[in-house]
């Protein structure tokens, strides 16, 4: 049950709770880490001070290794203000039709500065730093390695896995098409990088074996139980990263309507969505997705993400899951609502049982 990744990090189980930005809490991260997995703080939306505060809370709750995940973005963004005005008008009209009183506004910044977030991550000094949306610079990679922080890069193709290996990543997390939330694609169009996990894992393993044999592969996308973890391992993965499986945990900060909707979700309801953030992401096709005009969906990330934030907060407060960004993976209805530590134990029990099953 040991793996090269688990051994390097010093964790008991080859299990990572995905860094789901906006849904992870220090309590969730600590619970998973204390149970022997690797808890991950999704910090992509957090200001630097909040990253440090939440990292401190995690360390108060746990002395085990944990991870912080960030989105690799430029520090500054140019926005087409005419398109922004049109999007605001359409979003405000949608909120009015749906009975929500909150309206859009122009934020001081479209997103936190990545360089400032990165500095906070270095100061927090987690055992692991994971990244999506792009590759960090050589200087940033050196800064992390000087602090003995293990670097995990997110890839959606074998070419992206190699790009991370060339950049000096210690591990690569391959994100299959089944994965929920934002796509980590950075070398291709998102639509061209929707590769099923059980095709992607062996492709990435083969590519890295030839190019960077010491870089382990982590499997992510649609894994909801211990059998799925073992299947990924058989294909060459050193660990499995699960996100949707933890969304229904009480320690997760996902809105309660979102948690309830996951359990009733049909697999054909889960689709690729751009209308909430401007970047391809996987989640439930709900009222918002069906009502959102294409003009709004055409705004880039993080501009659209900032504009829809008031709507998402108001929808959560009103119990309107149908207006939320209900991110989830392909097998969302397999989620088990139970405390995170119990879920980790259950997953590893299933994993052990699957290992003992005879081959027929």
């Amino acid at each position: 049950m040991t793996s090269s990744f688990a051994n390097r990090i010093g964790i008991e189980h080859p299990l990572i709770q995905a860094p789901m930005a906006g849904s992870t809490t220090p309590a969730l991260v600590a619970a998973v880490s204390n149970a022997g997995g690797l808890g991950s703080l999704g910090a992509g939306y957090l200001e630097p001070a909040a990253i440090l505060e939440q990292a401190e809370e995690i360390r108060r709750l746990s002395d085990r290794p944990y991870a912080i995940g960030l989105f690799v973005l430029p520090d500054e963004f140019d926005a087409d203000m005419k398109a922004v005005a049109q999007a605001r008008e359409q979003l405000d009209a949608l909120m009015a039709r749906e009975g929500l009183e909150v309206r859009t506004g122009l934020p001081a910044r479209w997103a936190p500065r990545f360089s400032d977030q990165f500095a906070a991550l270095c100061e927090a000094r987690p055992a692991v730093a994971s990244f999506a949306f792009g590759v960090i610079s050589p200087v940033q990679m050196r800064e992390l390695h000087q602090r003995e922080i293990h670097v995990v890069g997110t890839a959606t193709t074998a070419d992206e896995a190699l790009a991370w290996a060339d950049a000096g990543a210690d591990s690569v997390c391959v994100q299959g098409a089944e994965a929920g939330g934002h796509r980590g694609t950075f070398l291709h169009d998102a639509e061209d990088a929707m590769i099923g996990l059980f095709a992607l894992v062996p492709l990435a393993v083969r590519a890295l074996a030839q190019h960077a044999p010491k870089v382990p592969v982590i499997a992510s996308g649609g894994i909801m139980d211990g059998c799925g973890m073992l299947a990924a391992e058989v294909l060459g993965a050193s660990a499995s990263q699960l996100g949707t499986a933890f969304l229904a945990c009480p320690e997760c900060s996902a809105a309660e309507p979102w948690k309830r909707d996951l359990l009733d979700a049909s697999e054909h309801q889960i689709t690729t969505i751009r209308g909430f953030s401007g970047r391809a992401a996987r989640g439930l096709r709900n009222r918002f997705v069906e009502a959102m005009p294409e003009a709004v969906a055409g705004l880039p990330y993080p501009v659209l993400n900032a504009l829809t934030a008031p709507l998402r907060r108001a929808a959560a407060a009103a119990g309107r899951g149908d207006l939320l960004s209900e991110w989830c993976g392909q097998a969302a209805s397999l989620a088990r609502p139970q405390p995170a530590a119990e879920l980790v134990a259950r997953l590893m029990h299933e994993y052990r049982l699957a290992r003992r099953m005879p081959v027929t």
Side-chain angles (χ1 to χ4, degrees):
M1 287 180 57
T2 59
S3 73
S4 58
F5 177 82
N7 286 336
R8 291 186 195 187
I9 303 305
I11 58 177
E12 182 179 352
H13 307 311
L15 168 63
I16 303 165
Q17 163 253 312
M20 301 173 286
S23 299
T24 51
T25 64
L28 176 62
V29 176
V32 173
S33 290
N34 285 337
L38 182 72
S40 303
L41 177 67
Y45 304 146
L46 297 180
E47 293 290 345
I51 293 174
L52 293 174
E53 290 170 3
Q54 294 196 28
E56 183 178 354
E57 177 66 7
I58 293 168
R59 299 311 308 160
R60 188 185 69 80
L61 297 171
S62 175
D63 61 358
R64 304 297 299 274
Y66 77 98
I68 293 177
L70 290 178
F71 300 144
V72 181
L73 296 168
D75 278 349
E76 304 297 337
F77 304 92
D78 292 325
D80 181 340
M81 296 310 295
K82 182 177 180 180
V84 166
Q86 181 182 4
R88 290 184 62 194
E89 181 179 341
Q90 293 174 333
L91 287 167
D92 289 345
L94 175 60
M95 286 188 273
R97 289 196 303 272
E98 297 298 330
L100 300 179
E101 295 182 0
V102 175
R103 297 294 180 265
T104 60
L106 290 177
R109 293 187 54 82
W110 296 115
R113 289 171 58 92
F114 174 70
S115 61
D116 294 338
Q117 291 179 313
F118 184 86
L121 183 152
C122 289
E123 184 176 342
R125 202 167 180 171
V128 176
S130 65
F131 299 94
F133 296 6
V135 176
I136 59 175
S137 71
V139 171
Q140 290 167 334
M141 188 70 74
R142 284 196 299 272
E143 288 181 15
L144 294 172
H145 285 158
Q146 287 169 359
R147 292 168 173 80
E148 299 182 332
I149 297 173
H150 186 101
V151 179
V152 177
T154 302
T156 61
T157 65
D159 284 345
E160 290 180 348
L162 292 177
W164 268 110
D166 287 341
D170 301 292
S171 300
V172 174
C173 180
V174 294
Q175 183 190 43
E178 303 90 338
H182 283 102
R183 303 296 298 159
T185 309
F186 58 92
L187 290 181
H188 318 274
D189 291 336
E191 291 75 15
D192 295 333
M194 299 294 290
I195 303 164
L197 182 65
F198 284 1
L200 182 56
V201 168
L203 288 170
V205 167
R206 182 182 66 179
L208 290 171
Q210 297 171 349
H211 187 77
K214 294 184 179 180
V215 176
V217 168
I218 299 162
S220 176
I223 302 174
M224 298 294 288
D225 55 30
C227 292
M229 292 174 59
L230 180 60
E233 179 184 309
V234 169
L235 290 173
S238 185
S240 293
Q241 178 170 285
L242 285 66
T244 304
F246 287 95
L247 279 175
C249 293
E251 299 94 338
C252 177
S253 61
E256 290 303 319
W258 177 5
K259 293 184 179 185
R260 291 194 299 269
D261 289 346
L262 290 181
L263 305 182
D264 295 326
S266 298
E267 58 274 17
H268 64 272
Q269 283 182 270
I270 298 164
T271 188
T272 304
I273 302 162
R274 292 183 183 271
F276 279 108
S277 73
R279 186 179 178 95
R282 299 281 288 169
L284 293 183
R285 183 187 294 108
N286 58 16
R287 165 67 180 156
F288 177 93
V289 176
E290 293 175 347
M292 184 45 51
E294 286 295 322
V296 172
L299 280 177
Y301 185 95
V303 174
L304 182 55
N305 193 62
L307 291 180
T308 62
L311 184 152
R312 289 179 277 126
R313 287 193 293 267
R320 293 288 303 274
D322 60 338
L323 296 176
L324 288 171
S325 48
E326 297 181 299
W327 304 140
C328 60
Q330 201 66 56
S333 63
L334 297 179
R336 279 82 64 99
Q338 62 187 124
E342 293 181 12
L343 179 58
V344 171
R346 185 173 185 174
L347 289 165
M348 297 315 302
H349 178 68
E350 293 168 345
Y351 173 88
R352 294 185 190 99
L353 288 179
R355 286 180 65 93
R356 295 173 190 161
M357 291 175 60
V359 178
T360 58

